[in-house]
Each structure stands twice: as structure tokens, then as C-alpha cells.
Amino acid sequence: MPSAARNKTKPVRELIFGDFWEYDPAPETADPKLQEGYDLFIDGKFVKPRSKKYFDTVNPATEKKLAFIAQADERDVNNACEAAQQAFDKTWSRISAAERGKYLYRIARLLQDHSREFAVAETLDGGKPIKESRDFDLPMTAAHFFYHAGWADKLEYLMPGPKRSPYGVVGQVIPWNFPLLMLAWKIAPALAAGNCVVIKPAETTSITAMKFATILQQADLPPGVVNIVTGNGETGAELMRHKLTRKIAFTGSTEVGRIIMRELAGTDKAMTMELGGKAANIVFEDAPLDQTVEGIVNGIFFNQGHVCCAGSRLLVQEGIAEALIERLKIRLATLRVGDPLDKNTDIGAIHSAAQLSRIQALVESGVEEGAEVYQPSCTLPEQGYFFKPTLFTGVTQSHRIAQEEIFGPVLSILTFRTLDEAIEKANNTLYGLSAGVWTEKGSRVHKVAAALKAGVIWANTYNKFDPASPFGGYKQSGFGREGGRQGLLDYLT
Ligand code: NDP
């Protein structure tokens, strides 16, 4: 029987655990070695902020304070940029490329040595399930340093043509959804290319960045090569506009990316922008349904949906929509929402109260605009910020939940009849970061991928990452690439 016909008739085997079968608690017990508070990391040392101001960082699963974090102001950003410039002029640009590579290898190995401790710290500060920080964030972070270490002395082979040079000081600002991994995406290529760095982590997730500073000290990285300034959006803005930052690299929302570009238009700073997304995950009638369901779940519920490339719009070919949605609902009932430190947890805490309200508001708009909502029955913890995995059916192109980035565990399902309609709907968005295609036919994968306006396209899988593979967007998802040869070229002039 052809796979498309089989998909419409195949009976669904139910495997519902839900509340019937309770797992024993399986808490991760490694010590995250948190300090009471964290200062700034400038010129190889921990220094107090000039303003003497600090703010709290909280655990979103318990709403309890974890530590206090330094608030950097204009003077601290200036000190950090000057330290980076000095390090570039006096040390980093003078040592051999192979030496630079050795530091990166050392950092990668030290991260591996401390990975359990870092994974727990990441989960406590951000709310993501421990199995994700342990099995994805930390291994990928180390992999980025290993990969770029190998490139440090081979830059001349990146592309033919005249030799290219590092910029000098690079200013980098990152978001809260993958705090340590985004830091690695930024710092590893910048250093491999021979630049020095000043980086600002997100206000709500600075802990692993400051722990990373201790790794730099253990690796004996020359002072000033990497400087970490914590603080709010104003700290980020100071860094972006500082006269010494010749290149800036930003990952965050399209809204803030626009503000930065507006302010820096007309300057000679080079820029890369990794912004938001509203990816289409497209399922054709001949897709392998059970695998597709796993891909859809991974695509939207990984990291509570706080993922720029999340497959947040599911486009399903009409003939199999009913069968697929039925399987998805059954699968949703098996997802375990709760304590992020428990190794059985699939969906951890929503990152903050503000993010939870945004998700709630967009879900309410979906109901008001006439889409049908489905949430499995599960009990959410009483404390902390949690949200049930959610599906919307009957979604139309004009609904806010089909257009706006929700950045939460909420899937909007639309249907299509023909390949052209799927492409039209997939491209009907301001964004263009990523997409997924599910079908048995390789030729169809190529045809759809060529027509989609998205920087990353997965076929019969989703959320697969590799440091060698460039990542970045089209349209309002930004410009520039991170990872691979293309990512390195963005750090050379
Ligand atoms: P924001 O844009 O709000 O913040 C990102 C970073 O920018 C934070 O460190 C923030 O500081 C800082 N910031 C805020 N205002 C300014 C400013 N005026 N100038 C300079 N820096 C500023 O995004 P979120 O942290 O909320 O992250 C979620 C967004 O990031 C989503 O839209 C997501 O799609 C996108 N993202 C994109 C990725 C990609 O690769 N394309 C990857 C990951 C996320 P503070 O924390 O203090 O507000």
C-alpha cells in the first residue's frame, strides 16, 4: 500500500502514561557550585561594578533567588573594551595561530571536565530540563570550542583570495534561551579568527557565563582576551555603540535587533544579527507518521519552545491531518512537565514571569480569534512558572498565533492541499530562520527546500545542530551566519 494511503488508515496504538503511572523522582544531585554573587570579568579578573549595583537572578522553577549579579554601566563597558583592545594589540594578535588554537582546545576540555556542574547551574538559572542541559547544551558548547580550535591555524584555507584579518575588539550580546551555548557560538569563532571579545549575557541568565570566566582563568587565557559584562539592555546598548567595538554580533529578538541597527546605521561597524523565527514544519501525506510525531514534538517542545528555530507552525497535508493530530495528542499526554532538575522531565519551567504572561496572552488571542486549543491533562507544580504543552487546530494565516513568535510550548497547526500551497503558507511570514520537511521523496525535499526562504532546513528530522553547519536567517530573522566556514568569515575583515 502506498505510504500516503497507509498513513490515512493505520490504527493508532495508544501509550498513555499521563497521571496513571507515576515515575519515581530522579533528581540530578551534582553540585552546581554557585556563589552568593558574581562580579564582572574584566582583564582576566573579577571586579566590582563601578556603580556598586547588583540585581538578583532567580530560579524560574521555584521563584527563589539564586545569586546576585553585577550591573555594569558605561564606565565598566569602557574598561572592558579597553582591556580587550590592549589584549588584542599586545598579546592575542602577536601569538601564533596554533597557540590560539591550543587555548580553545583547553577551554573545550575544561568545559567537558565541569559539564555536570555547569548543566545543573544552567538548569537552575534558566528552567530547562536537566536532560537537555546535560545532553545538548553542554556537549554542544564544548563541541563549538573543539571545532573552532581546529580552524585557528587554518584560516588561510577558509576561502581563496587575499588574506583576511581579525577585526580587533568584538562586542557580543546574547539571549537567555541557551545561555552557555550562545556564548560558545559567539566566543569560539571570534577567538579562533584572532579577535578579542566583550560579551554581555542576558540579565536573567548570567550565572554560567560567570562560571565560564573561571574556566578561562584555569585555561590561562591571557587577560583581556575575553571580558564579560553583566547587566540589562542598557549595558548591551553601551557595548554595541562603544567606539572600540569594530564588529558587533547580536542574538536576540527582532525588535531589539532593529533598535541596534537603527542606532548604528552609518557607522563603520560590521554586524551580524541572529533574530527571531516562526518556522514552518511541513508534513506531506507520505511522511513516516510516528517519526514525524517525534520530530514535531522535538521541534516545538524542546527547551519549552524557547527556541528561535522552533517548529512553531505545523503545516499538514489535508489527507493525513486528522490521523497526525490524533497521534500528536496522544504523544502530548506522555510528556512530563515539572521539576527541571528531575531527569524524567520533558518540559521544564518557562523562563520568567514576563515570558509566561506573553505566552498566556498569545494563547488567549488564539482562542479569541477562533482557533481550537488542546492541552493534555497534567498537573503543573504550584510554585514556579509552568505552562502545559499546547496545540491549536483550525488556525488560519491571519491569526496572531500563526504570525507572531510565541517562544513557548505552543504549536499552531494549519493544513494545505498542494505543494505550492505549502510553500506559499510557509513563506508567508516576516521571519526566515528555519523550516522542516517530512516526506518519503527526496526530490520533493529538494524542491521544497529550494523554494523556502529559510536559512536552515531540516528534512525528516528537526533541531539537528553541528558546529560545522552554518546557522542564520533570511528576512527579519537577521543576517550573517554562526558555525562552519561562513560563521568564521563573519569574524574576519
Ligand atoms: P532580547 O532581544 O530581549 O534580548 C537579547 C539580549 O539583548 C539580552 O542580553 C538583552 O539584555 C539585550 N538587550 C536588550 N535591549 C538591548 C539594546 N537596546 N541594545 C543592546 N542589547 C540589548 O531577546 P531575549 O533575550 O528575550 O531572547 C529571545 C529572542 O532571541 C527571541 O526572539 C529569539 O528568537 C531570539 N533568538 C534568536 C536566535 C538566533 O540564532 N536567531 C537564537 C536564540 C534566540 P537583557 O537580558 O538585560 O534584556
Side-chain angles (χ1 to χ4, degrees), residues 125-358:
D125 207 17
K128 64 177 66 199
I130 186 69
K131 68 178 176 192
E132 291 181 8
S133 40
R134 180 195 63 195
D135 300 342
F136 178 75
D137 295 62
L138 263 297
M140 282 301 287
T141 299
H144 271 267
F145 281 97
F146 276 122
Y147 173 78
H148 287 96
W151 267 116
D153 60 353
K154 301 173 195 70
L155 297 177
E156 63 201 273
Y157 304 110
L158 272 175
M159 67 182 299
K163 189 167 176 277
R164 299 176 55 155
S165 319
Y167 283 95
V169 180
V170 176
Q172 305 177 320
V173 172
I174 52 173
W176 45 258
N177 56 345
F178 292 93
L180 191 64
L181 184 58
M182 288 299 108
L183 172 144
W185 279 28
K186 293 273 179 288
I187 294 182
L191 297 195
N195 299 283
C196 291
V197 162
V198 181
I199 190 166
K200 187 199 96 68
E203 195 174 349
T204 46
T205 50
S206 302
I207 287 182
T208 46
M210 299 323 295
K211 285 176 74 67
F212 178 77
T214 62
I215 294 279
L216 299 179
Q217 288 182 324
Q218 288 172 47
D220 255 338
L221 188 76
V225 173
V226 172
N227 305 274
I228 307 176
V229 286
T230 46
N232 55 14
E234 192 40 45
T235 312
E238 289 296 345
L239 176 58
M240 303 280 91
R241 67 171 76 106
H242 194 277
K243 60 181 186 301
L244 290 176
T245 53
R246 288 199 51 219
K247 183 223 154 76
I248 57 151
F250 174 78
T251 297
S253 59
T254 297
E255 192 188 345
V256 173
R258 255 193 234 120
I259 296 172
I260 295 170
M261 281 190 276
R262 220 175 279 136
E263 183 174 348
L264 300 186
T267 68
D268 62 357
K269 287 179 197 283
M271 284 186 223
T272 42
M273 293 273 155
E274 300 285 356
L275 308 174
K278 189 75 186 173
N281 206 358
I282 308 170
V283 185
F284 287 94
E285 276 182 356
D286 61 348
L289 279 199
D290 292 328
Q291 291 91 326
T292 306
V293 165
E294 290 311 305
I296 295 166
V297 166
N298 173 265
I300 184 62
F301 300 117
F302 178 57
N303 198 24
Q304 295 73 248
H306 302 328
V307 183
C308 49
C309 54
S312 53
R313 284 183 303 149
L314 180 66
L315 304 188
V316 193
Q317 198 155 17
E318 236 174 57
I320 53 155
E322 205 177 309
L324 184 75
I325 292 165
E326 190 191 352
R327 278 175 166 75
L328 255 179
K329 287 182 176 171
I330 290 169
R331 180 68 177 92
L332 250 62
T334 70
L335 293 175
R336 306 192 63 80
V337 187
D339 179 6
L341 272 181
D342 193 306
K343 293 169 198 160
N344 293 319
T345 294
D346 298 305
I347 301 185
I350 297 300
H351 177 66
S352 62
Q355 189 59 26
L356 182 59
S357 324
R358 181 174 160 73

Side-chain angles (χ1 to χ4, degrees), residues 16-23 333-336 376-380:
I16 302 182
F17 305 120
D19 287 340
F20 300 134
W21 178 14
E22 255 322 310
Y23 283 66
T334 70
L335 293 175
R336 306 192 63 80
S377 73
C378 61
T379 318
L380 299 183

